[in-house]
Amino acid sequence: MKIKTLFQLLAVPVLLAVFALTLSACQTTPAAPAETTNEASGGDAAAETTLTVWGFVWTADWLDALAPAFEAEHPGVTVKVERFEYDPYQDMVLTTLASGEGVPDVVTLDPMWAGDLIRGGTVQPMEKADSELPVADFVPGGWNLYAWQGTQYGIPLDLDFNLMFYRKDVYGTAMEELGMTEFPTNTDDYLALAKQVTEDTGKPAIILFQGDYYAWYQSFLAPMGGNLINDAGTEYIYNSPEAVDALQLYSDVANTYEVGKLWDGDVDGDPMIALSNNEAMAIMYGSWFATEMASGAPDMAGQWAIAPLPWGKEGREFTAATGGACLSIP
C-alpha cells in the first residue's frame, strides 16, 4: 500500500524539539520521578536517567523513531517507550493519572479526553513552550487544543486529518473516462467522478458513516468552512449556513446523487469487509486508517490511494483537521 504515514509528512526537527522540551521538564518534575543511578568511571560520577514515555499504537511508533536521536543529544538518558492499544489505554491513563501512582514521565493524550485531565490538574503546565518551541510551525487548531486559560499543557505530536481512501484502479479508470488528470478538489467534480465510478462498477463510490461525528463534522463541515462553536468558544454555531449546507450535502451524496452508501456499523458490520469484497470503492476516515487497512486487508496492498476531502469550492482554505494526540507531563 503506497500510503505515506503522517509521520513522514511531519517536520522531524520540530518533533525532536518537542520531545526535548517535554522530557527535560520531566527531569525537574517532582510528580514524575525518573530512575537514576550513579556509576563511577575514572573517578567521575556519570548519571544515567531512564525516562518512561507512554504511547498508544501508532504514536508509539513515532516515539520509537524519535528516541534514538534524543538519546544521542542527551548522553546518559535512555527513553523507554511503553506501547498500549487505544481503548484500554484511555481507561488506564485516566485512572493512573488521577491516582498519582505509577505514572510515566511523559504521557501521550488524545484530545477527546485530554481536557478533563488538564482541568483536573493531573498534568503539568508547560510554561516555557511558547518561548522554546517554534509555535508558528504548528497548526493553530492543534496547538490551541491543549491550551487552557493562557497556559499550554500539551505539545501536539500529530494532526488527525480525515482523508479519502479510494481504489486507485477503479477511480483511475473513471478519471480517464472523464478526462481528469488528478483527483477532484471540489464538490462538483467529485460528484461527477463518483457517478462514473458507480456506473462502471454498479457499487457505491463511497461509504458514508452514520452515527459518527467524522461523518458530518470532520468529513463535510470542517472542509466546507464550518465549525461547532464560534471563535471565542462561547456559542454553538452548528446551525450556521455552512453547517446546513454541509448536512444537506451529506444527505444528498447518498439520497439524491445516489453515489454513497450510508453505513451503520451495528447493522452493516465492519466496513473493512465491504472494502475487501469490492462492495464499496472509497471511504472517508482518519489518517490512522492506513494502518488498519494494511493489517485488515493485506491482500489489497497497492490498490489504495489517498486524497484530501473534495467537499467545498475550488481553492478553499479549509481542511479536515481537528487536532491530534499530544505529549504531556503528569
Side-chain angles (χ1 to χ4, degrees):
M1 183 183 305
K2 295 180 180 179
I3 296 179
K4 287 187 176 181
T5 66
L6 191 57
F7 177 69
Q8 292 175 291
L9 304 178
L10 291 172
V12 174
V14 171
L15 282 182
L16 285 174
V18 170
F19 216 24
L21 173 68
T22 310
L23 293 178
S24 64
C26 289
Q27 297 177 19
T28 59
T29 302
E35 178 183 340
T36 303
T37 60
N38 290 323
E39 296 181 357
S41 176
D44 295 327
E48 293 187 359
T49 302
T50 297
L51 297 176
T52 301
V53 186
W54 282 4
F56 54 85
V57 286
W58 62 90
T59 64
D61 293 337
W62 304 344
L63 295 170
D64 283 335
L66 292 170
F70 181 82
E71 291 172 343
E73 294 179 5
H74 300 80
V77 176
T78 299
V79 178
K80 180 183 178 182
V81 178
E82 296 187 351
R83 172 190 306 270
F84 305 90
E85 292 300 316
Y86 180 84
D87 289 336
Y89 177 74
Q90 175 182 353
D91 293 336
M92 184 181 68
V93 167
L94 295 176
T95 302
T96 302
L97 268 63
S99 70
E101 299 292 332
V103 298
D105 298 299
V106 182
V107 64
T108 306
L109 301 179
D110 184 289
M112 290 191 289
W113 30 270
D116 288 338
L117 295 172
I118 291 171
R119 289 187 294 271
T122 56
V123 293
Q124 292 284 335
M126 297 181 174
E127 296 170 345
K128 295 183 179 181
D130 290 338
S131 60
E132 296 192 6
L133 288 177
V135 179
D137 288 349
F138 291 87
V139 174
W143 181 267
N144 295 335
L145 201 60
Y146 299 103
W148 187 50
Q149 296 181 341
T151 301
Q152 198 74 20
Y153 287 86
I155 305 300
L157 178 62
D158 69 340
L159 272 178
D160 288 337
F161 283 85
N162 233 27
L163 299 166
M164 182 77 73
F165 293 81
Y166 66 94
R167 280 280 298 276
K168 62 181 182 181
D169 55 342
V170 175
Y171 269 78
T173 298
M175 288 169 62
E176 291 180 3
E177 294 171 341
L178 296 175
M180 294 182 177
T181 58
E182 60 182 15
F183 197 86
T185 55
N186 63 78
T187 297
D188 292 341
D189 287 348
Y190 176 74
L191 289 175
L193 178 59
K195 181 178 180 181
Q196 188 66 50
V197 168
T198 301
E199 291 178 355
D200 290 347
T201 63
K203 302 293 184 179
I206 186 171
I207 284 177
L208 302 174
F209 285 111
Q210 296 188 83
D212 185 300
Y213 80 98
Y214 283 102
W216 168 65
Y217 167 43
Q218 202 169 15
S219 295
F220 289 92
L221 180 61
M224 293 176 68
N227 211 331
L228 296 178
I229 59 175
N230 62 9
D231 291 339
T234 59
E235 181 182 359
Y236 289 108
I237 56 173
Y238 46 73
N239 283 327
S240 67
E242 293 85 0
V244 172
D245 289 344
L247 186 59
Q248 186 64 59
L249 179 59
Y250 171 36
S251 173
D252 288 346
V253 169
N255 299 312
T256 300
Y257 302 108
E258 299 182 339
V259 297
K261 175 177 175 54
L262 292 173
W263 194 272
D264 185 335
D266 293 335
V267 176
D268 300 309
D270 187 350
M272 187 71 71
I273 297 176
L275 298 171
S276 301
N277 293 339
N278 298 316
E279 293 299 318
M281 302 302 155
I283 189 171
M284 293 181 292
Y285 229 142
S287 46
W288 64 84
F289 191 62
T291 302
E292 296 184 16
M293 292 186 72
S295 60
D299 57 323
M300 301 186 74
Q303 297 183 33
W304 294 90
I306 61 173
L309 298 186
W311 313 118
K313 298 179 180 179
E314 190 71 43
R316 67 195 180 283
E317 60 179 331
F318 310 110
T319 67
T322 54
C326 79
L327 298 176
S328 291
I329 303 170

